[in-house]
Each structure stands twice: as C-alpha cells, then as structure tokens.
Amino acid sequence: MRISVIGTGYLGAVHAAGMAELGFDVVGVDIDAAKVESLNQGRMPFYEPNSDPLLDKHVGKGLRFTTDMAEIADADVHFVCVGTPQRKNSLAADMAFVNSSIDAMIPFLKDGSLVVGKSTVPVGTAEKLAERIEVATPESVSVELAWNPEFLREGFAVQDTLHPDRLVFGVNGDNAEGILREVYARAIGDDTPVVVTDLPTAELVKVAANSFLATKISFINAMAEICDVTGADVTALADAIGHDERIGRKFLNAGVGFGGGCLPKDIRAFSARASELGAGQSLAFLNEVDAINLRRREQVVNLVREHLGTLHGRRVAVLGAAFKPDSDDVRDSPALSIAGQLHLAGAQVSVYDPKAMPNAARIFPTLNYADSATEAIADAEAVLHLTEWPEFRELDPAVIGADVANKLMIDGRNLLDRDAYRQAGWTYVGLGRP
Ligand code: UGA
C-alpha cells in the first residue's frame, strides 16, 4: 500500500516516519521547501525525542518528502495532517491550510483512494470536505473520505504514533474502515481498541478529549487559587483526590497552566464552533477554563512584583521557554509568555531552555537568552522555574544560591525540592503550596 502525508509539522512528519516504520511506501508533502530539504536529509525540522533515528532509517528507502503535490498520484491512502491554528481575528480555527491542501490534492486523487483527515477541525468539516471532493473529481473517480483524529503528545510523538492508546475511525462509506484496519494492522494486532463511528463523532472525539484535559488542568489550578487563600497544599490535594480511580492523578499538576499548539486553540475553536451551531451555552464553561489558565501567567508576574517590590530594572532568570519539557515548541508557552510580560514591565529577563532557544528567540527576540541555566541564574534577584526539564530539578540549591543576588525561587511547576531550597536559605514560592 502506498501512503501520502500532507503537511509535515509535528504531527505529519512523525506520522510519515511512523507509516514507513510500519512498512509502507510513504511520500510526505509540504509547501515549505526548507522543511522538505531537512526531512530528506534525515533531520526533523523540530526537536522530538526518538524521531530522527526513525526518519534516518527510512528516508531514501520507503520514505521521501517533496513540495510537488503531483507525487501523491500513486498513493492509495492520503493523510491530511496540516495545521489548523487560531484565526488572527477570532477564536475560531483557521481552515485555510486544510481547504488549500484538499484543493491541491484533488487533481491527483486516483479512483478507489481514501483521504483520511487527521487535523483537528471544527465539527462538520469532514462532511463538507467529502462533498468538495465529490463535486470536483470526475465521475469515473470515486474517492472516500474518513476522519482519524490523532492523540499524539509532543515529546512522546513516536511512541503515540506506533503504539496509540486507541484508534478512532470516522467513516461514511464501505471501504474506509477496511483500509484503515489494514493501515493500523500492527497496532490492532496489539489489542489497541478501535472505535468506529460517523464523521462528526470522530471530529468531536478529538476536541472533546482536549477540552477534558484542559478542564482537568484548570480545575486543579482553580484549587491552587483556593489553596493560596487558605494555606492548603494543592499538591497533597491532587495526590489525595487522584487516588480515586474515577478522578485519576494524571493531568492534575497545578502550576503555570497549559500551553502549546493544541489545548489553548482547540478549546477556543470548539467554543466558537458551538456558538455558530447555536449551542454556545453548552461550552460556556470552556471560556472559564481558558480564563483560569491565563490567570496563572498573571499570577506569576504578580508574585515576582510582590516579592521584589517592583519589576522595573530587576534581574529575573527564567528557566524554561518551551510549553513543556522534551519539546522545542514555544507556541502559546506559559514560560515564554511570563518572560515576555516581565520584560515588557521593565524587568531584565534572562531565559534558558535546553531545546527551545532558537524558537523562543524568533518569536521574542528582545529577551536575553543565556547559554546555560547557571548563566541565566547568575546575579538574578528572582529565579522562575517555568518548564519542568529534568536538568532544572538537578540544580543544587546550595551551589546556585552562591551565584544569585537574592535567593528567591518561584516554582511555577511545583516540582522542585521545596525543603532543600528552604534549607539552603532560599525563599521558595510554589503555586497553591505553602
Ligand atoms: C495535547 C494532548 O495531550 C494530546 O492528546 C493531543 O493529541 C495533542 O494535544 C494534540 O491535540 O495534538 P500536547 O499539546 O503535546 O498534547 O501537550 P500536553 O501533554 O497535553 O500538555 C499540554 C499543556 O498542559 C502543557 O503546557 C503542560 O505543561 C500542561 N499541563 C499538563 C499542566 O499544566 N498540568 C498537567 O497536569 C498536565
């Protein structure tokens, strides 16, 4: 079976390499020539653990990348993996890349082929795209469309692609399910659960899952706000409620909140879509989830101001720029947003991140970027732990205490050893923790 993957971002590039690992002949298509060149040299254009070896293993054998859409003509299955970012002038998703990819693909779709959407889209999109394809292809060419949402997490993208925790097939025709079962035969053989459903349900599964995760994080962050005014400890609270299997401990880490290219824009797009459908009330709670999340960033800025008296001219070290560890992605990153707000309020901010410095410098060039955590910390009046890279937990509070001008540690992830910091003479401030 021949496979094409349209869009080679975090999702598409890893999906293409994963499909090659499963033994398929794969062509990846992207409009960005620099990305295509990097991929053809066996280098992911971003940091994603374990993905370079996979790419290197298959490029030039069963896997190739191109900017030329005509090269998809041989493929039997086409995965659409392009981005659906937030629109510049509203909360809704920008569908321009999905629509332009489908239009560019149409002339090259062969009879009997299957187009499989993976991008996160507003519910109702798949049915419209199926119609668009039907209208634009000649009568002799029959093409089906399916929706197969992706649940991969950055940092674990290879594992999530090869060993997904579930497969969702949104189908509307006879052949699609069989073809998808063939594509994912290995995972299905490993007992991965498969949910076969209609197109709108499959589209909704994705945004419902991300909305639930975002709600869980904002729930515990709301509890952190209550802990702050009562002197209670949100970490112990999360441990205690997390023992209830119905609640579960995962995604109950209070801190600076969620960011990245998915959760924030997905809840906004979902809520915007519900309003379009006349069901805005049903998702009104997502606006509160968003508001709680954004308050976390302000709260950290306020904490620094309270502890230092003013931000103007104060030296602040920010540990972390990526939206989470094991990623170089800075899209809507709480760490970078806080660093930026402090800088705009007059602080001298020095940022260090093990992987995300080039991306951070591109979108926030006016911050100072240090070459190491210790360089960022040197002479700081406040140190902020905002992305939980393991190397930040390994810093010895006694050693780094000798380098700072003021021993103030604000732990935006509630993960540092609070007692060790206090014993070394630091003022340790957690979020929702005494
Ligand atoms: C998220 C979902 O977890 C994936 O299942 C989904 O496929 C993906 O979006 C997507 O839509 O493509 P990802 O954006 O990689 O994956 O990041 P997450 O691991 O979900 O983390 C999101 C944010 O929540 C990060 O900023 C993280 O630091 C934060 N977070 C996570 C918390 O603040 N507390 C927690 O307890 C967990």
Side-chain angles (χ1 to χ4, degrees):
M1 189 185 288
R2 290 202 175 92
I3 287 181
S4 85
V5 176
I6 319 301
T8 59
Y10 286 91
L11 163 60
V14 178
H15 187 68
M19 290 294 110
E21 175 72 5
L22 294 177
F24 299 110
D25 192 37
V26 184
V27 59
V29 185
D30 203 291
I31 50 174
D32 182 337
K35 224 183 236 182
V36 164
E37 195 188 327
S38 164
L39 288 162
N40 275 330
Q41 285 168 3
R43 275 196 332 268
M44 286 288 179
F46 46 78
Y47 175 71
E48 179 60 44
N50 307 318
S51 62
D52 274 341
L54 199 63
L55 194 61
D56 199 43
K57 182 172 163 197
H58 297 289
V59 157
K61 292 159 200 141
L63 175 62
R64 66 187 199 286
F65 295 90
T66 177
T67 53
D68 183 4
M69 192 61 91
E71 292 195 36
I72 72 164
D74 279 351
D76 309 288
V77 182
H78 309 274
F79 285 100
V80 179
C81 297
V82 294
T84 50
Q86 187 178 324
R87 271 191 222 162
K88 291 204 169 66
N89 56 357
S90 84
L91 296 181
D94 183 347
M95 297 301 293
F97 296 123
V98 172
N99 293 332
S100 62
S101 308
I102 294 285
D103 288 344
M105 290 163 72
I106 284 171
F108 305 108
L109 297 174
K110 69 177 182 185
D111 186 39
S113 59
L114 177 67
V115 175
V116 185
K118 272 197 164 299
S119 306
T120 304
V121 293
V123 59
T125 300
E127 274 169 2
K128 274 198 229 140
L129 294 179
E131 246 174 67
R132 200 172 174 130
I133 294 172
E134 163 100 49
V135 169
T137 44
E139 238 168 64
S140 55
V141 175
S142 156
V143 175
E144 264 185 56
L145 180 123
W147 217 259
N148 168 222
E150 183 57 58
F151 305 103
L152 67 78
R153 299 158 297 167
E154 287 178 27
F156 299 90
V158 171
Q159 184 192 324
D160 289 348
T161 301
L162 295 176
H163 309 284
D165 54 7
R166 81 284 211 188
L167 289 162
V168 176
F169 300 159
V171 295
N172 197 11
D174 304 333
N175 303 317
E177 183 186 340
I179 297 172
L180 286 169
R181 283 188 182 276
E182 210 179 316
V183 170
Y184 292 109
R186 194 189 292 178
I188 295 170
D190 292 340
D191 290 334
T192 305
V194 181
V195 179
V196 182
T197 178
D198 51 36
L199 294 173
T201 307
E203 294 169 312
L204 279 176
V205 168
K206 174 61 191 252
V207 282
N210 277 359
S211 297
F212 190 88
L213 294 172
T215 303
K216 209 171 169 189
I217 299 168
S218 278
F219 171 82
I220 201 65
N221 280 328
M223 294 304 111
E225 292 182 350
I226 302 296
C227 287
D228 272 335
V229 292
T230 54
D233 184 339
V234 74
T235 308
L237 174 85
D239 289 344
I241 63 173
H243 283 301
D244 183 332
E245 276 183 14
R246 294 169 303 173
I247 296 174
R249 181 62 177 82
K250 288 182 184 160
F251 270 63
L252 277 186
N253 295 320
V256 290
F258 58 81
C262 302
L263 263 44
K265 66 106 177 153
D266 286 355
I267 60 169
R268 291 174 194 157
F270 194 15
S271 147
R273 181 66 181 139
S275 298
E276 271 171 28
L277 295 167
Q281 186 75 44
S282 309
L283 298 186
F285 75 96
L286 287 180
N287 300 333
E288 197 53 39
V289 165
D290 200 4
I292 293 168
N293 191 52
L294 294 174
R295 274 208 301 271
R296 306 308 291 161
R297 304 173 184 191
E298 265 169 54
Q299 202 213 336
V300 172
V301 174
N302 291 339
L303 276 172
V304 182
R305 189 184 286 110
E306 272 165 34
H307 280 269
L308 297 183
T310 175
L311 292 174
H312 196 258
R314 294 311 182 104
R315 294 182 302 280
V316 181
V318 168
L319 301 182
F323 83 107
K324 68 174 190 181
D326 289 319
S327 173
D328 65 355
D329 194 345
V330 295
R331 286 176 294 171
D332 207 348
S333 163
L336 200 54
S337 156
I338 291 166
Q341 288 181 49
L342 290 167
H343 167 73
L344 294 173
Q348 295 171 42
V349 183
S350 191
V351 182
Y352 172 72
D353 187 285
K355 295 286 176 199
M357 304 282 272
N359 286 344
R362 243 190 312 278
I363 69 162
F364 224 120
T366 49
L367 297 173
N368 178 48
Y369 293 96
D371 288 335
S372 65
T374 43
E375 190 187 310
I377 285 168
D379 215 21
E381 292 164 279
V383 182
L384 276 50
H385 173 236
L386 301 184
T387 311
E388 65 274 38
W389 287 96
E391 71 168 76
F392 299 149
R393 292 198 284 287
E394 281 157 20
L395 293 169
D396 182 336
V399 174
I400 59 169
D403 292 339
V404 293
N406 177 39
K407 290 187 197 172
L408 169 64
M409 172 60 80
I410 297 183
D411 183 2
R413 295 290 179 174
N414 286 341
L415 274 176
L416 299 176
D417 186 339
R418 174 173 61 177
D419 296 340
Y421 272 87
R422 286 186 179 154
Q423 273 157 24
W426 287 75
T427 301
Y428 170 94
V429 182
L431 301 187
R433 283 177 100 194

